[in-house]
Amino acid sequence: ATVLPKMVSGEWMGTMNLTEPHAGSDLGVLKTRAERRDDGTYRILGQKIFITWGEHDFTDNIVHLVLARLPDAPAGTKGISLFLVPKFLVNEDGSLGERNDVFCHSLEHKLGIHGSPTCTMIYGDGKFGREKGAIGYLVGEENRGLACMFTMMNNARLAVGMQGVAIAEAATQKAIAYAKERTQGRAPGWSGDGMSPIIEHPDIARTLLTMKALTQGSRAIAYACAHAVDMAHAAQGEDARQWQERSSLLTPIAKSFATDAGVDVASMGIQVHGGMGFIEETGAARYLRDARIAPIYEGTNGIQAIDLVTRKLPLSDGAQVRGFIAELREVAAAVAASNREGFGETAARLDAAVADLEGATDWLLSRLRDGKLAEALSGATAYQRLFGLVLTGVYLAKGGLAEAGDGGQDRRVALCRFAAENLLSETSALKDRVVNGAASLAAARSILD
Ligand SMILES: Cc1cc2nc3c(=O)[nH]c(=O)nc-3n(C[C@H](O)[C@H](O)[C@H](O)COP(=O)(O)OP(=O)(O)OC[C@H]3O[C@@H](n4cnc5c(N)ncnc54)[C@H](O)[C@@H]3O)c2cc1C
């Protein structure tokens, strides 16, 4: 009641404090300490790094959510608790009180997102002249902090996926605008005076359409995930459980596929600009620099792939993912049944892509059953991309099926067909990498020594 309304209204901002110098992907080893006090509060002592918006003067107060360990906590992730630590303590009447014992020690110098301060935070240094230890309030139960943090992290993963979508969309719009203006050479079939706009060159048009397909596919995956999250809240009983599982399955794909797409599309955008893409004044380079963080934070995309393979595929003993794949196949069948010429080879390509996904899924589930974890993990990232590509094809097809088909130009059908006939063939290579890549990876590992 004291804090949340002010955060929702934007009067105060918040941070998530997980990372420490030696504890990034593996939070089980974090060292920040929490000590119990007689008045029910806690004292927090330690160092956090890479904290987004850890310090700034945009709002009067900053509410830090901090993971820390109690003295008698069990080792590993089961001994982590979550604390709310305001920059300024809050008086009973809601006014701001004393400065809490937390401060920003330094700012990171980064590749991109220069509008976002990334801070090293020190808790409990005694800098403000009081007893050492920032005053913190427990959120949820002691030693259950990671579960609480995951409520936020699952939302944050989807939101970071949307950062990827947003950057990809911006990069695509900028590249299309440039390609219409910039003239160079004469494209095959160009009948205008002088040089043609570069958008007329097949290579540029293919690049722009790839950018558009990856952007729209990523957006659709993120929306499908958001829809599943909403349904999990709105539905009851078994339905709610099913939607909860669906959102769990989609979250790592939404995070990883969309953020990888952000980087890939921003890079393609630079290519469309030619040399001007490498020059700061066009703004194309900034998209790439800003996009590059999204596959790293909120759990690296490699960690998302591990989550997808080891925790999400086994949901309901594989029934969740199998049910989902059956739904994807229905979309391919609906495209075939639509008999719309504009879809070209889409139905057959979708069918083949879904079969690749199914084959890779079965293989991974069998490796997990047999305890062959290293084999399963060797192909986890390839599998994650395979899943995202299949979903891109399927969701673009759903968009095409929803289009009126009234004789005007069916733009969604055209994009869907482009993706099906130009991008989806990658799924068979990805399946091959999942199923056949592990042995050579294990054999070659020692050459890295
Ligand atoms: C700009 C920026 C903002 C950030 N904002 C925040 C924030 O607000 N709050 C916060 O708490 N943190 C924040 N972070 C930290 C971020 O979440 C971590 O950097 C990220 O989780 C990765 O941890 P790490 O850097 O320690 O990399 P590491 O964990 O050391 O990983 C290095 C590489 O090894 C891989 N790897 C690690 N473990 C495994 C494994 N078990 N299996 C396979 N591969 C593995 C990773 O995928 C990665 O490729 C931010 C980071 C940056 C750069």
Side-chain angles (χ1 to χ4, degrees), residues 328-330 332-333 345-357 424:
L328 303 179
R329 184 162 283 124
E330 282 171 21
E345 296 294 313
T346 298
R349 298 302 179 101
L350 274 183
D351 238 4
V354 174
D356 288 333
L357 177 62
L424 282 194

Side-chain angles (χ1 to χ4, degrees), residues 2-76:
T2 309
V3 172
L4 207 51
K6 290 217 158 42
M7 294 185 73
V8 172
S9 70
E11 277 171 271
W12 296 351
M13 276 169 64
T15 68
M16 293 166 68
N17 288 239
L18 294 75
T19 308
E20 297 178 9
H22 57 285
S25 300
D26 189 353
L27 294 170
V29 295
L30 67 80
K31 284 186 187 153
T32 295
R33 281 172 19 237
E35 293 172 0
R36 295 184 189 89
R37 309 295 289 193
D38 292 342
D39 62 0
T41 65
Y42 296 76
R43 295 288 159 136
I44 311 296
L45 302 103
Q47 182 190 3
K48 296 284 178 182
I49 61 166
F50 298 164
I51 304 308
T52 298
W53 290 91
E55 178 61 301
H56 57 85
D57 52 11
F58 279 75
T59 55
D60 296 339
N61 207 358
I62 304 173
V63 179
H64 303 293
L65 287 158
V66 186
L67 291 181
R69 191 179 288 289
L70 287 157
D72 49 3

Side-chain angles (χ1 to χ4, degrees), residues 14-27 48-54 65 67 108 110-113 116-119 149 157 293 295-304 306 377:
T15 68
M16 293 166 68
N17 288 239
L18 294 75
T19 308
E20 297 178 9
H22 57 285
S25 300
D26 189 353
L27 294 170
K48 296 284 178 182
I49 61 166
F50 298 164
I51 304 308
T52 298
W53 290 91
L65 287 158
L67 291 181
E108 304 298 347
K110 304 187 298 265
L111 176 67
I113 58 165
S116 168
T118 304
C119 306
M149 197 57 119
R157 285 177 174 179
I293 184 59
I296 297 171
Y297 59 17
E298 256 348 291
T300 65
N301 286 0
I303 296 294
Q304 304 299 323
I306 295 171
L377 292 184

Side-chain angles (χ1 to χ4, degrees), residues 292-347:
R292 195 59 193 84
I293 184 59
I296 297 171
Y297 59 17
E298 256 348 291
T300 65
N301 286 0
I303 296 294
Q304 304 299 323
I306 295 171
D307 177 53
L308 175 63
V309 167
T310 62
R311 282 191 283 274
K312 306 303 169 61
L313 294 192
L315 286 171
S316 291
D317 209 15
Q320 173 59 228
V321 67
R322 290 210 169 91
F324 190 34
I325 290 172
E327 288 173 31
L328 303 179
R329 184 162 283 124
E330 282 171 21
V331 177
V335 171
S338 78
N339 278 327
R340 278 164 73 175
E341 225 176 280
F343 274 122
E345 296 294 313
T346 298

Side-chain angles (χ1 to χ4, degrees), residues 341-415:
E341 225 176 280
F343 274 122
E345 296 294 313
T346 298
R349 298 302 179 101
L350 274 183
D351 238 4
V354 174
D356 288 333
L357 177 62
E358 190 166 42
T361 305
D362 287 345
W363 187 86
L364 285 170
L365 283 168
S366 78
R367 294 299 97 173
L368 293 177
R369 251 195 323 273
D370 296 347
K372 303 254 167 74
L373 189 60
E375 283 185 36
L377 292 184
S378 299
T381 288
Y383 177 75
Q384 186 165 248
R385 176 156 185 85
L386 164 58
F387 216 139
L389 261 184
V390 172
L391 292 180
T392 294
V394 166
Y395 290 143
L396 290 180
K398 281 183 98 168
L401 286 166
E403 208 162 39
D406 55 6
Q409 202 205 356
D410 290 342
R411 294 168 68 95
R412 290 191 210 165
V413 171
L415 186 65

Side-chain angles (χ1 to χ4, degrees), residues 156-432:
R157 285 177 174 179
L158 184 50
V160 169
M162 285 306 295
Q163 286 183 6
V165 174
I167 289 182
E169 177 65 41
T172 304
Q173 288 186 23
K174 190 180 272 297
I176 291 176
Y178 185 80
K180 285 179 177 166
E181 247 174 45
R182 170 75 173 166
T183 56
Q184 205 64 189
R186 287 181 69 83
W190 174 248
S191 56
D193 291 338
M195 296 190 291
S196 52
I198 59 172
I199 200 167
E200 300 297 334
H201 294 296
D203 187 55
I204 294 292
R206 185 185 47 74
T207 306
L208 293 170
L209 284 167
T210 302
M211 294 167 74
K212 224 176 170 35
L214 290 176
T215 304
Q216 294 200 9
S218 301
R219 181 183 288 119
I221 295 169
Y223 285 0
C225 184
H227 174 237
V229 171
D230 283 353
M231 290 304 289
H233 285 300
Q236 306 290 330
E238 175 54 21
D239 264 4
R241 199 188 63 80
Q242 286 289 342
W243 283 113
Q244 177 59 44
E245 282 196 358
R246 179 63 54 85
S247 71
S248 297
L249 177 66
L250 281 170
T251 298
I253 307 168
K255 195 275 175 178
S256 64
F257 190 79
T259 56
D260 284 342
V263 175
D264 293 346
V265 169
S267 180
M268 287 183 233
I270 290 180
Q271 196 68 17
V272 168
H273 283 76
M276 282 311 287
F278 203 68
I279 307 298
E280 290 293 351
E281 70 195 60
T282 60
R286 189 179 62 111
Y287 290 140
L288 182 61
R289 286 191 278 100
D290 287 352
R292 195 59 193 84
I293 184 59
I296 297 171
Y297 59 17
E298 256 348 291
T300 65
N301 286 0
I303 296 294
Q304 304 299 323
I306 295 171
D307 177 53
L308 175 63
V309 167
T310 62
R311 282 191 283 274
K312 306 303 169 61
L313 294 192
L315 286 171
S316 291
D317 209 15
Q320 173 59 228
V321 67
R322 290 210 169 91
F324 190 34
I325 290 172
E327 288 173 31
L328 303 179
R329 184 162 283 124
E330 282 171 21
V331 177
V335 171
S338 78
N339 278 327
R340 278 164 73 175
E341 225 176 280
F343 274 122
E345 296 294 313
T346 298
R349 298 302 179 101
L350 274 183
D351 238 4
V354 174
D356 288 333
L357 177 62
E358 190 166 42
T361 305
D362 287 345
W363 187 86
L364 285 170
L365 283 168
S366 78
R367 294 299 97 173
L368 293 177
R369 251 195 323 273
D370 296 347
K372 303 254 167 74
L373 189 60
E375 283 185 36
L377 292 184
S378 299
T381 288
Y383 177 75
Q384 186 165 248
R385 176 156 185 85
L386 164 58
F387 216 139
L389 261 184
V390 172
L391 292 180
T392 294
V394 166
Y395 290 143
L396 290 180
K398 281 183 98 168
L401 286 166
E403 208 162 39
D406 55 6
Q409 202 205 356
D410 290 342
R411 294 168 68 95
R412 290 191 210 165
V413 171
L415 186 65
C416 158
R417 177 182 174 194
F418 169 82
E421 295 180 19
N422 281 274
L423 307 184
L424 282 194
S425 56
E426 195 185 326
T427 61
S428 91
L430 288 164
K431 180 200 162 191
D432 185 51

